[in-house]
């Protein structure tokens, strides 16, 4: 849109009023930059307490904005998680039950509207650079979607695309997604992680496997340590890309009108994370920089989830959407400068499957201290995602004859009860299921959470509730 060349057949005074109105609208337009890491748990970022992996640019962003301590992907699967981000609807409602590509062939429902469609109706320019993992294409009307083989791992190329995007059509507000493929594993062979191809202008970090602190849900072996070292190497490369994109935003002069959000689509790809509702799978880094905020460096204890992204973007951009009341989240803009916001004490999660080989629907209610997981088809053996079952951690663990995987027995990992209930304060790695506790206080909290979970799913018309119910123990 060229503000200085437009037809106006009204009287001169009205033309001036119209012109000033257009200028004011342009000046007040607010942009959104969404940065997405691929498969990264919350504890694998420096500002979240990891003193091994180097993430200076993400840490700087947190110092300039707000870091949510307890933030959640609602499903630990790349494609379905992105569908939640872009629709504001949980997986059981948006229809993308698993990955969209090849044999998995899943996509959002025809009656679902994406944030890209919503913003386009408000005059926004929409772009996505890097990994998409969404379908159908007509639901994602990108104005800018450059492609390059292995481009989503070439963070320098990605930053150049962002620079081009920021520098063009500067009188039009934008929504840009920068979707990195790091630190998603590069293959199913060997460690599965680590930088295989060099990019111009970046020297990879090297991590000593001996210095790695293995989280309790994984076995502490030499090969696991080697894998995490490669994973950290990819995280640092992604962090470099984040820094380059933010430099391009500053150079464009548009940073002061741009809400910046950094998240990971879900947690790490290891067993006990990907395709589960355990903390390493669904708890993610979540950082927001509001250029209009008066405070910075805030650590927010409110529970937020990916269902809150679309409502927040609508709020920030002033975009009207007729179906707002049907969305499953709410705007977190009002709480960005709070440390302990009232009423943000729960998150609802929904998973159907990771791929066509791993159908295992779950619903979870995550509170500030307690967590309830409903395994809907609990009599079936838990099917590991295809990404996880073929990689070294799981393959070598099974070949060794070990009866455990990290802090769980193999039997408990594969054969799950209908309901799991954890006290995350005393058991942060979810190894002690309290569902059959005889403590009256625990029983009361458990029963209240089961009832709340059922009520919320019924209100959302969750299709699985037509056949299954968390209060029917015989299923």
């Amino acid at each position: 849109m060229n503000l200085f060349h437009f037809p106006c057949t009204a009287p001169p005074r009205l033309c001036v009023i119209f012109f000033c109105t257009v200028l004011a609208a342009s000046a007040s337009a607010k942009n959104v930059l969404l940065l997405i890491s691929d498969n990264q748990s919350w504890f694998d970022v420096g500002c979240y307490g990891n003193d091994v992996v180097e993430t200076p640019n993400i840490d700087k962003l947190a110092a300039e904005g707000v870091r949510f301590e307890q933030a959640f992907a609602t499903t630990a699967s790349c494609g379905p998680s992105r569908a939640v981000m872009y629709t504001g609807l949980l997986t059981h409602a948006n229809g993308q039950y698993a990955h969209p590509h090849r044999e998995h062939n899943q996509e959002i429902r025809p009656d679902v509207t994406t944030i890209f469609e919503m913003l386009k109706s408000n005059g926004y320019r929409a772009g996505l650079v890097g990994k998409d993992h969404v379908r159908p294409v007509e639901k994602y009307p990108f104005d800018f979607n450059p492609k390059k083989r292995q481009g989503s791992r070439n963070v320098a190329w990605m930053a150049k695309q962002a620079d081009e995007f920021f520098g063009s059509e500067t009188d039009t507000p934008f929504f840009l997604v920068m979707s990195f493929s790091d630190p998603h594993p590069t293959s199913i062979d060997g460690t599965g992680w680590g930088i295989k191809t060099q990019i111009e202008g970046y020297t990879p970090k090297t991590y000593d496997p001996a210095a790695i602190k293995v989280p309790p849900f994984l076995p502490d072996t030499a090969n696991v340590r080697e894998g995490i070292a490669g994973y950290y190497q990819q995280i640092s490369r992604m962090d470099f890309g984040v820094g380059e994109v933010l430099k391009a935003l500053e150079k464009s002069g548009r940073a002061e009108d741009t809400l910046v959000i950094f998240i990971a689509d879900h947690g790490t790809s290891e067993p006990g994370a990907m395709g589960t509702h355990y903390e390493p799978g669904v708890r993610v880094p979540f950082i927001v920089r509001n250029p209009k905020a008066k405070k910075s460096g805030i650590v927010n204890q409110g529970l937020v989830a990916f269902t809150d992204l679309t409502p927040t973007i609508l709020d920030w951009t002033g975009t009207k959407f007729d179906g707002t009341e049907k969305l499953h989240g709410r705007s977190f803009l009002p709480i960005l400068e709070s440390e302990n916001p009232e009423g943000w004490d729960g998150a609802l999660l929904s998973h159907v499957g990771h791929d066509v080989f791993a159908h295992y629907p779950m619903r979870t209610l995550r509170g500030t201290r307690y967590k309830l997981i409903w395994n809907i088809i609990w009599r079936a053996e838990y099917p590991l995602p295809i990404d996880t079952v073929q990689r070294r951690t799981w393959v070598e663990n099974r070949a060794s004859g070990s009866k455990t995987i990290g802090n769980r027995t193999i039997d408990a990992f594969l054969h799950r009860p209908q309901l799991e209930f954890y006290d995350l304060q005393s058991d942060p790695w979810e190894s002690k299921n309290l569902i059959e506790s005889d403590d009256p206080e625990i029983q009361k909290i458990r029963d209240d959470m089961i009832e709340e979970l059922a009520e919320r799913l019924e209100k959302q018309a969750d299709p699985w509730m037509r056949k299954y119910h968390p209060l029917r123990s015989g299923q």
Side-chain angles (χ1 to χ4, degrees):
M1 176 175 70
N2 189 330
L3 292 177
F4 300 98
H5 295 86
F6 64 94
C8 184
T9 58
R13 182 171 178 272
L14 293 180
C15 285
V16 171
I17 292 172
F18 172 73
F19 182 74
C20 291
T21 301
V22 172
L23 276 177
S26 177
S28 63
K30 295 178 178 179
N31 311 306
V32 181
L33 172 62
L34 177 60
L35 304 155
I36 306 175
S37 168
D38 197 357
N39 296 20
Q40 181 182 8
S41 298
W42 89 96
F43 50 76
D44 293 320
V45 188
C47 60
Y48 279 86
N50 191 311
D51 58 6
V52 177
V53 67
E54 296 181 24
T55 54
N57 295 295
I58 299 171
D59 299 348
K60 181 175 182 289
L61 186 66
E64 296 170 345
V66 54
R67 173 170 65 84
F68 283 93
E69 183 66 22
Q70 300 191 82
F72 300 92
T74 59
T75 175
S77 178
C78 297
S81 183
R82 291 160 199 268
V84 175
M85 296 178 204
Y86 300 147
T87 65
L89 298 172
L90 289 162
T91 301
H92 61 255
N94 70 49
Q96 187 170 327
Y97 299 148
H99 283 330
H101 60 290
R102 297 197 304 272
E103 66 271 12
H104 314 297
N105 198 38
Q106 298 293 297
E107 58 185 41
I108 61 171
R109 289 167 31 172
D111 60 338
V112 169
T113 305
T114 68
I115 186 62
F116 296 95
E117 294 174 296
M118 299 174 199
L119 291 176
K120 288 284 285 182
S121 71
N122 192 27
Y124 270 71
R125 184 173 181 234
L128 185 147
V129 179
K131 181 174 180 175
D132 49 40
H133 240 39
V134 288
R135 278 180 51 187
V137 293
E138 59 267 22
K139 288 288 184 180
Y140 297 89
F142 305 128
D143 298 292
F144 186 78
N145 187 216
K147 299 293 184 182
K148 177 183 175 69
R149 182 174 176 78
Q150 293 295 310
S152 56
R153 294 195 190 275
N154 188 333
V155 297
W157 175 82
M158 291 181 68
K160 289 179 181 178
Q161 305 313 303
D163 184 56
E164 177 184 333
F165 181 86
F166 296 142
S168 59
E169 299 188 35
T170 55
D171 56 349
T172 304
F174 69 78
F175 172 47
L176 178 64
V177 178
M178 298 298 297
S179 184
F180 302 95
S181 279
D182 284 333
H184 189 289
T186 55
S187 73
I188 62 171
D189 302 317
T191 66
W193 278 285
I195 292 176
K196 305 294 191 294
T197 304
Q198 303 299 312
I199 60 172
E200 186 178 349
Y202 177 69
T203 301
K205 302 288 183 184
T206 301
Y207 290 95
D208 179 4
I212 299 297
K213 298 174 183 177
V214 179
F217 75 98
L218 291 174
D220 189 351
T221 67
N223 282 340
V224 167
R225 287 175 171 273
E226 183 183 19
I228 296 176
Y231 166 67
Y232 282 2
Q233 187 178 59
Q234 289 179 237
I235 289 174
S236 289
R237 179 170 67 178
M238 178 273 300
D239 176 84
F240 173 78
V242 166
E244 293 300 291
V245 172
L246 292 176
K247 286 179 185 176
L249 178 63
E250 290 290 338
K251 187 184 82 170
S252 73
R254 306 179 79 176
E256 289 305 308
D257 293 312
T258 302
L259 183 73
V260 179
I261 304 171
F262 172 81
I263 57 175
D265 63 346
H266 61 78
T268 179
S269 302
E270 292 282 40
M274 177 181 276
T276 78
H277 269 175
Y278 297 131
E279 295 288 284
V282 294
R283 190 170 168 188
V284 294
F286 198 116
I287 296 166
V288 182
R289 186 179 72 188
N290 178 354
K292 309 300 182 185
K294 297 178 181 178
K295 299 178 182 178
S296 60
I298 296 168
V299 178
N300 193 310
Q301 298 297 334
L303 274 65
V304 294
F306 286 175
T307 43
D308 299 318
L309 287 168
T310 287
T312 300
I313 293 169
L314 292 176
D315 187 10
W316 174 257
T317 60
T319 300
K320 305 300 182 184
F321 174 57
D322 289 342
T324 300
E325 72 283 352
K326 296 181 181 179
L327 299 180
H328 293 161
R330 53 184 166 162
S331 172
F332 49 71
L333 285 183
I335 66 165
L336 285 182
E337 296 186 66
S338 303
E339 294 182 357
N340 295 285
E342 292 185 11
W344 291 76
D345 53 2
L348 182 61
L349 318 180
S350 174
H351 177 86
V352 176
H354 178 268
D355 48 64
V356 295
F357 316 109
H359 173 255
Y360 198 79
M362 295 172 277
R363 307 290 185 266
T364 293
L365 186 60
R366 171 57 155 84
T368 54
R369 176 172 175 177
Y370 294 95
K371 180 176 181 179
L372 174 72
I373 302 175
W374 174 28
N375 299 306
I376 297 178
I377 55 171
W378 61 281
R379 295 185 188 279
E381 180 176 284
Y382 170 74
L384 278 83
I386 193 69
D387 299 57
T388 305
V389 75
Q390 295 179 324
R391 290 200 178 97
R392 190 166 69 176
T393 299
W394 181 256
V395 171
E396 293 193 354
N397 182 272
R398 302 309 296 126
S400 73
S402 174
K403 296 189 180 300
T404 62
I405 179 80
N407 60 339
R408 295 184 180 90
T409 67
I410 294 293
D411 183 65
F413 183 65
L414 294 178
H415 305 101
R416 303 180 183 185
Q418 181 184 21
L419 296 171
E420 299 176 63
F421 188 62
Y422 299 104
D423 179 351
L424 298 173
Q425 181 174 298
S426 61
D427 180 25
W429 298 100
E430 301 154 294
S431 60
K432 185 179 180 181
N433 187 3
L434 300 177
I435 199 65
E436 296 183 357
S437 172
D438 56 8
D439 183 327
E441 183 178 349
I442 295 293
Q443 290 176 344
K444 176 68 166 58
I445 297 170
R446 174 202 65 196
D447 293 348
D448 287 348
M449 290 186 72
I450 294 173
E451 184 175 347
E452 181 183 348
L453 176 65
E455 288 178 353
R456 292 181 66 173
L457 294 176
E458 286 170 347
K459 184 178 180 181
Q460 294 177 0
D462 183 339
W464 274 258
M465 292 292 283
R466 295 163 63 186
K467 181 176 181 180
Y468 304 97
H469 197 287
L471 292 174
R472 290 200 288 268
S473 60
Q475 293 181 331

